[in-house]
């Protein structure tokens, strides 16, 4: 299983986080003007989020929310995985909407909502944890910033091609 592999190879987590960002940019940049496609990618990116946050957990019943605030370490697979959890969905939604502040707020609220729902559905065996919310939110912030840079680079490239430059390419 993926989680077993990650636990056994925890040093790979920073590499996987970087690969997630590179893959998002590699897919998102060429599609930056295809808003419908980006919305589809954002929606598809939510499938693993729902599976990982509401799928069967440890089997234990949790009735409280663990309140803690720990910064991730390179060996902390769960904390670093939470950084990546919402990253693709928020990145693609930010590119599609061109509204980074709204997507930032939506991502942070979505993360909090996931944790709250886990409190009220204890039978799924998932624990509400403030660290999960904090790390999801950190991933949301990075995703929005990276999407904003992608948008800016795309705008810069487009604005650099004025009518004279476009005429040269047409010849």
């Amino acid at each position: 299983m993926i989680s077993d592999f990650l636990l056994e190879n925890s040093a790979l987590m920073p590499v996987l986080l970087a690969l997630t960002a590179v893959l998002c940019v590699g897919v998102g940049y060429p599609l930056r003007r295809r808003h419908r496609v980006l919305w589809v990618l954002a929606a598809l990116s939510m499938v693993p989020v729902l599976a990982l946050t509401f799928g069967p957990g440890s089997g234990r019943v949790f009735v409280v929310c663990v309140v803690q605030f720990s910064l991730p370490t390179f060996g902390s697979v769960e904390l670093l995985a939470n950084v990546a959890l919402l990253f693709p969905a928020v990145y693609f939604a930010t590119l599609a909407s061109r509204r980074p502040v709204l997507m930032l707020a939506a991502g942070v609220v979505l993360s909090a909502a996931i944790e709250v729902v886990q409190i009220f559905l204890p039978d799924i065996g998932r624990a509400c944890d403030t660290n999960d919310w904090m790390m999801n939110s950190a991933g949301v912030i990075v995703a929005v910033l990276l999407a904003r840079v992608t948008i800016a680079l795309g705008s810069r490239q487009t604005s650099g091609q004025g009518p004279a430059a476009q005429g040269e390419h047409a010849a």
Side-chain angles (χ1 to χ4, degrees):
M1 202 134 162
I2 294 173
S3 57
D4 293 335
F5 174 79
L6 291 175
L7 288 171
E8 292 169 8
N9 301 286
S10 60
L12 289 178
M13 278 308 297
V15 173
L16 292 174
L17 282 172
L19 284 175
T20 299
V22 167
L23 183 62
C24 284
V25 172
V27 171
Y29 184 79
L31 297 173
R32 67 190 179 279
R33 291 187 190 99
R34 310 249 348 238
H35 300 286
R36 288 185 183 157
V37 174
L38 291 167
W39 281 119
V40 168
L41 289 172
L44 289 174
S45 297
M46 287 302 296
V47 172
V49 171
L50 296 173
L52 290 168
T53 57
F54 298 119
S58 66
R60 298 185 314 180
V61 175
F62 299 95
V63 292
V64 297
C65 190
V66 177
V67 178
Q68 58 182 341
F69 293 98
S70 303
L71 294 176
T73 61
F74 287 123
S76 178
V77 173
E78 184 180 357
L79 289 179
L80 290 174
N82 275 305
V83 171
L85 185 67
L86 295 173
F87 190 99
V90 171
Y91 176 81
F92 293 128
T94 303
L95 284 182
S97 70
R98 307 280 189 193
R99 300 181 77 182
V101 174
L102 179 62
M103 292 302 108
L104 175 68
V108 170
V109 168
L110 175 62
S111 178
I114 288 169
E115 297 306 314
V116 169
V117 169
Q118 288 176 342
I119 292 171
F120 293 109
L121 296 175
D123 293 335
I124 64 173
R126 297 283 175 184
C128 167
D129 191 326
T130 56
N131 273 348
D132 292 351
W133 169 77
M134 186 173 69
M135 292 299 100
N136 291 159
S137 297
V140 165
I141 291 167
V142 174
V144 167
L145 291 173
L146 190 57
R148 187 64 195 111
V149 168
T150 303
I151 292 166
L153 288 175
S155 297
R156 193 174 203 198
Q157 179 189 17
T158 303
S159 67
Q161 294 182 354
Q166 289 175 355
E168 292 172 10
H169 294 295

